[in-house]
Amino acid sequence: MKLAHLPLPAHLSYCTNIHAGDSLAEVEASLDDFLPAIRAHLEEWQALPPDAPFGLGLRLSAQAAESLLQPDTLSAFAARLESLHAYVFTINAFPWGNFHQKPVKQSVYQPDWRSSQRAAYTIHCARTLAALLPPGVEGSISTVPLGFAEGDCAAAMADSLPQLRLAVLELNRLMRETGKEIVLALEPEPACLLENTADALHFFQRYWFAEDNLAQLARQADCALPEALELARRHLGVCYDVCHGAVEFEDPCATLASLLDASIRVAKIQLSCALRVEAMDERAAIQLRTFDDGIYLHQVVRRNASGLQRHPDLPQALSLPPDAIRRESWRVHCHVPLFWQAPPETALANTRDSLDAVLGLLRRQAVSPHLEVETYTWDVLPPQLRAMPKAQAIALELHTVLKELRHER
């Protein structure tokens, strides 16, 4: 959906990584099943005019992206989108393979940006996006925050540069040939090489904008250093996930401002909420265990008098002695519905305050052209959080965002 009334006109969608399926046939089936129902809810609530095109945040696995390299297959997929009155402006190229129904944990970051497989997969997605983008609409592709943080992190950042340059060079070629501008967006996430916004700033300033990297890019692009810097800024940016920032106790408005001040493009903002515990106790620990689904990593950041303490997954944090964590404030990386209002007897809540701050900022300031609701954990949430049908929940999340961006009550 196009939001023309914002200071920076933007496109709003939901990310189809909420639907299971890696093959293109499974992707197509989920679009056929869900888009008409989502549209019907939004039209009923007068949140979407009947004739308005529906923007889509498309998740493609490596398998599906490779399938779309075939011209006939791509043409048929474009025709299906047209029949659904939908268009694609952003692709989620973060998870390489299966993302549902079996444990993914830290394997979701593999292959990472040290691997040519990651670059090839991303380039396949870019070629598809260039073909699907409507005229005059820029595209974005969100991707892993370089990789999982283990071993020599500084070396891993440096070793990611060659493959990132290849991807940026391909995006530049596509722009010259098709006129379609696409930004690759690194998505900071707890426990990764780019864990938070400070890490993203460090990577761009210390590595990506470094003179030696720009000199390599200039040689590969056969251009001068100033043109290489322009190319580096145009085609590589950040996807800011509000849930991830909240887990890190970030002030989202200040961190978004820091990225823009550093001339780093905020190519996409993922509108999402994390789990919040304001005062940890035994009741909260019991309730948190119901979110340990065994499928995804649920990174935890604890705040106490000593500062921030980080854990790569929920079981490690919950194994701490109860007396050691009593009264602490916790944030847990588990995407929960934007509209969820925890009942009084629940010790948990979502980080809606962070989301509302971002939506307020978007009403006042030009920040990002792409907004994407992302609650991919829907199928493994405790039953009380997913009582309504999935299509209705997706529509309600979009409606929640639209009302805030239009300042409606």
Side-chain angles (χ1 to χ4, degrees):
M1 292 170 280
K2 187 170 184 180
L3 307 178
H5 70 286
L6 297 178
L8 179 62
H11 296 267
L12 170 66
S13 183
Y14 82 99
C15 185
T16 63
N17 65 356
I18 194 173
H19 307 307
D22 285 339
S23 70
L24 183 59
E26 290 170 314
V27 171
E28 292 173 333
S30 68
L31 297 180
D32 291 344
D33 288 345
F34 283 94
L35 287 195
I38 294 168
R39 280 198 72 105
H41 286 296
L42 291 172
E43 290 175 11
E44 178 187 352
W45 301 332
Q46 298 183 335
L48 180 68
D51 59 345
F54 187 89
L56 198 59
L58 186 65
R59 186 257 160 166
L60 292 177
S61 69
Q63 178 190 157
E66 189 170 358
S67 298
L68 285 168
L69 294 178
Q70 304 300 320
D72 291 346
T73 304
L74 180 58
S75 295
F77 186 71
R80 175 178 253 100
L81 291 175
E82 186 175 359
S83 71
L84 292 166
H85 210 28
Y87 67 98
V88 175
F89 62 88
T90 185
I91 287 179
N92 184 325
F94 194 126
W96 163 277
N98 190 303
F99 193 52
H100 289 271
Q101 300 167 339
K102 69 176 186 179
V104 290
K105 297 291 184 179
Q106 65 199 58
S107 66
V108 74
Y109 311 107
Q110 294 295 330
D112 62 26
W113 272 103
R114 292 172 292 184
S115 166
S116 60
Q117 285 183 306
R118 172 62 63 174
Y121 161 45
T122 306
I123 287 169
H124 293 170
C125 289
R127 291 172 181 167
T128 292
L129 184 56
L132 296 176
L133 273 173
V137 176
E138 71 180 52
S140 64
I141 300 174
S142 49
T143 187
V144 295
L146 302 182
F148 193 68
E150 53 188 351
D152 189 336
C153 292
M157 288 188 184
D159 291 344
S160 300
L161 294 173
Q163 300 304 324
L164 285 172
R165 287 197 301 268
L166 286 179
V168 162
L169 288 167
E170 176 64 13
L171 295 179
N172 188 50
R173 185 192 68 79
L174 283 170
M175 189 178 72
R176 292 198 316 268
E177 293 183 359
T178 68
K180 307 291 182 66
E181 183 174 342
I182 298 173
V183 188
L184 178 61
L186 301 169
E187 183 184 328
E189 181 175 319
C192 294
L193 289 169
L194 306 185
E195 185 164 53
N196 49 35
T197 305
D199 288 343
L201 286 165
H202 172 72
F203 171 74
F204 275 87
Q205 294 167 341
R206 169 65 180 83
Y207 295 92
W208 185 245
F209 294 149
E211 188 173 342
D212 55 347
N213 183 60
L214 294 177
Q216 291 268 24
L217 188 59
R219 281 193 289 273
Q220 291 173 275
D222 192 21
C223 66
L225 271 177
E227 286 76 19
L229 176 59
E230 182 182 352
L231 191 157
R233 285 179 171 160
R234 178 187 297 124
H235 291 300
L236 189 69
V238 164
C239 169
Y240 186 79
D241 188 305
V242 182
C243 166
H244 299 172
V247 172
E248 289 287 334
F249 288 87
E250 291 187 344
D251 176 336
C253 297
T255 54
L256 285 166
S258 69
L259 291 169
L260 297 175
D261 289 345
S263 298
I264 298 168
R265 293 182 73 167
V266 182
K268 177 162 70 173
I269 296 178
Q270 286 182 325
L271 306 173
S272 51
C273 286
L275 275 173
R276 182 179 84 224
V277 178
E278 282 309 315
M280 192 66 187
D281 59 17
E282 185 177 350
R283 181 173 64 122
I286 291 170
Q287 292 171 1
L288 277 177
R289 285 190 175 91
T290 66
F291 289 85
D292 183 18
D293 50 67
I295 302 293
Y296 305 111
L297 273 187
H298 296 303
Q299 301 94 317
V300 177
V301 180
R302 302 160 39 225
R303 184 167 67 182
N304 53 35
S306 301
L308 300 182
Q309 321 297 325
R310 295 177 171 86
H311 303 271
D313 208 355
L314 189 55
Q316 290 94 319
L318 289 173
S319 68
L320 294 168
D323 288 345
I325 58 177
R326 195 174 306 280
R327 310 301 300 171
E328 288 184 342
S329 182
W330 282 30
R331 301 292 185 269
V332 181
H333 177 220
C334 181
H335 291 232
V336 294
L338 310 187
F339 53 79
W340 178 49
Q341 295 182 334
E345 67 272 13
T346 302
L348 312 180
N350 65 9
T351 54
R352 180 63 188 268
D353 54 339
S354 291
L355 178 65
D356 287 345
V358 169
L359 296 176
L361 180 67
L362 292 167
R363 291 197 303 266
R364 302 188 304 271
Q365 184 179 331
V367 181
S368 178
H370 292 173
L371 311 175
E372 183 181 58
V373 169
E374 192 197 29
T375 310
Y376 65 84
T377 51
W378 177 265
D379 289 337
V380 295
L381 291 174
Q384 66 271 21
L385 268 72
R386 48 185 172 93
M388 68 180 68
K390 189 189 295 186
Q392 183 182 353
I394 294 167
L396 185 54
E397 290 197 300
L398 290 168
H399 193 209
T400 299
V401 169
L402 286 168
K403 286 195 297 183
E404 288 294 327
L405 291 177
R406 292 167 180 164
H407 221 200
E408 298 173 355
R409 291 292 183 268

